[in-house]
């Protein structure tokens, strides 16, 4: 696994993806921490739409925090990038536009290490925002899994627990849970939901 120090010399695009609760933010924080130990200047950005927690941190579900800069749109990343930054972290990348793909290419071609974390699929199981293109052009890709909250198997899907039909409904534990392919039900209304697989297979 990539630890630190890769950015010296050549740039790279690393993508961390998976469903909600799979540890994307934890993994992003881990890589950035190691880069800092390697004395590389890091900067982290997240889209302004994710206002679940404090605006100046990226926060994992277990309350790990890391200072970051919220940005309203992709080009603000370029505007706020310091000259001596070597490693750029971007969390919740699925909320950016497709112009994020070009930006990541540009930064990596300049010799920066770009680490992008985001949901690969939305609540319907469809590719989310710029993520499919980012997965394709990544130099390094990690697809993380969570634990299915119905049966305990490996989860690759984010189950929405409300009947809201917008693609972007920002929320944490109460509105979403991780599910495996068998237990995932994009048409869910909570009442109708019955596990298709027996509990506790861990
Ligand atoms: P992500 O950024 O992918 O949404 P986080 O890094 O914020 O994930 O949080 C991952 C952490 O969430 C795990 O280390 C674990 O402690 C916790 N967690 C809560 N529910 C689950 C679940 N269903 N599967 C795996 N981890 C979970
Ligand atoms: Mg996260
Ligand atoms: Zn399951």
């Amino acid at each position: 696994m990539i630890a630190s120090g890769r950015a010296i010399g050549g740039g790279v695009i690393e993508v961390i993806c998976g469903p909600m609760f799979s540890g994307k933010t934890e993994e992003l924080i881990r890589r950035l921490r190691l880069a800092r130990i390697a004395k590389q200047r890091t900067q982290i950005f997240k889209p302004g739409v994710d206002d679940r927690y404090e605006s100046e941190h990226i926060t994992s579900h277990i309350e790990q925090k890391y200072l970051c800069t919220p940005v309203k749109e992709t080009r603000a990343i370029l505007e706020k990038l310091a000259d001596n930054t070597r490693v750029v972290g971007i969390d919740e990348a699925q909320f950016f536009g497709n112009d994020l793909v070009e930006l990541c290419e540009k930064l990596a071609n300049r010799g920066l290490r770009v680490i992008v974390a985001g949901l690969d699929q939305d609540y319907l199981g469809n590719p989310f925002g710029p993520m499919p293109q980012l997965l394709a052009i990544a130099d390094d890709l990690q697809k993380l899994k969570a634990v299915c909250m119905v049966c305990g198997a490996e989860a690759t899907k984010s189950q929405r627990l409300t009947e809201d039909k917008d693609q972007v409904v920002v929320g944490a534990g109460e509105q979403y849970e991780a599910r495996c392919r068998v237990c995932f039900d994009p048409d869910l209304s909570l009442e109708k939901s019955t596990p298709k697989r027996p509990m506790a297979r861990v």
Side-chain angles (χ1 to χ4, degrees):
M1 203 55 253
I2 291 171
S4 65
R6 276 270 293 267
I8 299 167
V12 69
I13 300 173
E14 300 167 24
V15 173
I16 303 163
C17 69
M20 287 188 69
F21 303 102
S22 61
K24 301 180 299 297
T25 301
E26 275 175 7
E27 177 61 19
L28 179 62
I29 290 173
R30 188 185 76 85
R31 293 188 196 183
L32 290 160
R33 195 192 316 123
L34 294 182
R36 284 191 186 175
I37 291 171
K39 304 222 182 319
Q40 295 168 353
R41 159 125 201 205
T42 64
Q43 266 184 282
I44 311 161
F45 299 94
K46 72 171 182 184
V49 66
D50 181 15
D51 56 0
R52 269 179 287 176
Y53 310 99
E54 294 96 309
S55 58
E56 303 278 315
H57 294 90
I58 53 171
T59 309
S60 78
H61 292 295
I62 53 167
E63 298 295 309
Q64 266 190 312
K65 285 183 189 173
Y66 220 79
L67 268 181
C68 82
T69 308
V71 285
K72 280 263 180 284
E73 52 199 350
T74 302
R75 68 186 158 85
I77 295 177
L78 213 48
E79 287 159 15
K80 294 182 178 186
L81 199 65
D83 285 346
N84 56 351
T85 292
R86 308 305 314 144
V87 184
V88 179
I90 300 168
D91 202 10
E92 304 285 0
Q94 74 278 354
F95 292 140
F96 285 99
N98 277 332
D99 50 358
L100 186 65
V101 182
E102 202 183 320
L103 177 91
C104 291
E105 286 274 22
K106 188 188 268 184
L107 297 183
N109 290 342
R110 276 190 202 169
L112 275 73
R113 179 182 177 197
V114 185
I115 313 173
V116 186
L119 291 169
D120 45 11
Q121 300 162 52
D122 66 11
Y123 77 105
L124 296 171
N126 295 322
F128 206 156
M131 292 303 288
Q133 282 95 329
L134 286 166
L135 303 196
I137 62 160
D139 299 288
D140 181 87
L141 172 61
Q142 188 169 24
K143 191 145 176 160
L144 296 170
K145 296 185 184 75
V147 176
C148 174
M149 294 306 282
V150 175
C151 75
E154 284 187 330
T156 55
K157 309 278 182 190
S158 303
Q159 177 72 55
R160 185 177 286 176
L161 301 172
T162 65
E163 292 191 61
D164 216 308
K165 297 285 181 280
D166 292 337
Q167 189 184 37
V168 179
V169 174
V170 178
E174 337 75 63
Q175 276 147 307
Y176 295 91
E177 70 183 22
R179 297 249 181 125
C180 71
R181 182 177 287 280
V182 176
C183 300
F184 177 62
D185 179 3
D187 301 321
L188 175 91
S189 88
L190 255 186
E191 298 69 40
K192 282 189 287 178
S193 164
T194 45
K196 297 177 205 155
R197 200 192 258 176
M199 189 62 189
R201 217 207 58 179
V202 191

